[in-house]
Amino acid sequence: MAEFSWLPRSPLEHALVAGAYGEREVAPGIFLTEVRNFELIQVMARRGKGAELASATTARFGMAAPDVPKAVSASDVMLIWSGPDQFLVLSKGSKYTTNTLSQAFSQSTSLSDQSHARAWISVSGAKARTMLAKLSSIDLHPTAFPIGAAAATSIDHTSVNLWRGDDRPDGQAVFNLLVFATFAESLWHTMLDAAAEYGVDIRHSEEFA
């Protein structure tokens, strides 16, 4: 009888090979990595329950739910807008799961655990915007997409949740993408092809801090 492993595995386990990729005559213009070990819960208001969702969110997290495309955060959680009256709860550990959130939101929302259904790709570097502009119609200029801005969009026809995180210590912007696991490897290779001319530094997967 065949043996099966039920341990969760990254959808980029085979595709992500740390090291240099593409142009090597110049310093890397793109830094790519995967972020692992996170909890991700989709929160969506039931019909006519948007106001109740807003109140429950403030009571549970101590901050308002994002009602425009942005990501807001506290010390232990981030709420990422994903559409009208809906958002993603991104956290580490088991504090915010469907079980721990069900009581606070049971009267107003539907919850869906997406922790193992999405891959998280982090893109940064001097050419990050230029590379992403090849694959997306989103305007990522700092005045149009500042730190904390978010979008539910597509990258090369692949649905993603995109948000801009805090800048790196060197001042370079950081863009985060959540993509469905089944499309993650394909999108990863597409992004590598788009980034190759700028030189890519592929980092080992990082743990979500």
Side-chain angles (χ1 to χ4, degrees):
M1 177 180 285
E3 294 185 3
F4 294 93
S5 171
W6 298 106
L7 295 175
R9 300 170 63 181
S10 164
L12 296 175
E13 181 174 359
H14 300 296
L16 193 159
V17 179
Y21 182 86
E23 175 60 52
R24 304 192 185 191
E25 298 299 320
V26 297
I30 304 284
F31 297 88
L32 276 178
T33 193
E34 177 194 14
V35 184
R36 297 183 180 179
N37 294 333
F38 57 88
E39 299 284 346
L40 186 70
I41 308 299
Q42 175 77 55
V43 178
M44 182 181 298
R46 298 180 186 138
R47 183 174 297 178
K49 297 290 186 177
E52 291 183 32
L53 169 60
S55 296
T57 301
T58 301
R60 186 63 181 85
F61 299 112
M63 59 183 173
D67 56 1
V68 295
K70 65 178 181 179
V72 296
S73 60
S75 60
D76 59 354
V77 67
M78 179 178 291
L79 309 181
I80 305 165
W81 181 92
S82 59
D85 293 330
Q86 59 181 288
F87 57 88
L88 296 162
V89 179
L90 179 63
S91 65
K92 182 177 175 61
S94 58
K95 183 175 181 180
Y96 300 111
T97 66
T98 52
N99 288 335
T100 61
L101 295 176
S102 60
Q103 183 173 358
F105 292 102
S106 61
Q107 301 303 311
S108 60
T109 70
S110 296
L111 304 176
S112 175
D113 190 336
Q114 298 290 308
S115 304
H116 301 297
R118 308 286 185 101
W120 177 354
I121 299 172
S122 175
V123 186
S124 61
K127 295 295 184 178
R129 287 189 181 87
T130 306
M131 182 273 286
L132 290 170
K134 294 182 180 183
L135 307 173
S136 172
S137 60
I138 294 289
D139 183 356
L140 298 177
H141 189 276
T143 58
F145 207 81
I147 292 173
T153 184
S154 64
I155 301 290
D156 193 43
H157 308 292
T158 301
S159 296
V160 300
N161 291 97
L162 168 69
W163 76 98
R164 184 176 163 192
D166 291 333
D167 290 349
R168 295 189 336 186
D170 62 4
Q172 295 295 340
V174 177
F175 299 96
N176 299 284
L177 295 82
L178 286 170
V179 56
F180 284 105
T182 50
F183 298 108
E185 186 169 337
S186 175
L187 181 60
W188 179 265
H189 288 300
T190 297
M191 293 173 66
L192 281 179
D193 289 344
E197 66 175 297
Y198 311 118
V200 186
D201 184 348
I202 303 173
R203 305 287 180 86
H204 288 286
S205 297
E206 300 175 353
E207 299 293 310
F208 179 36

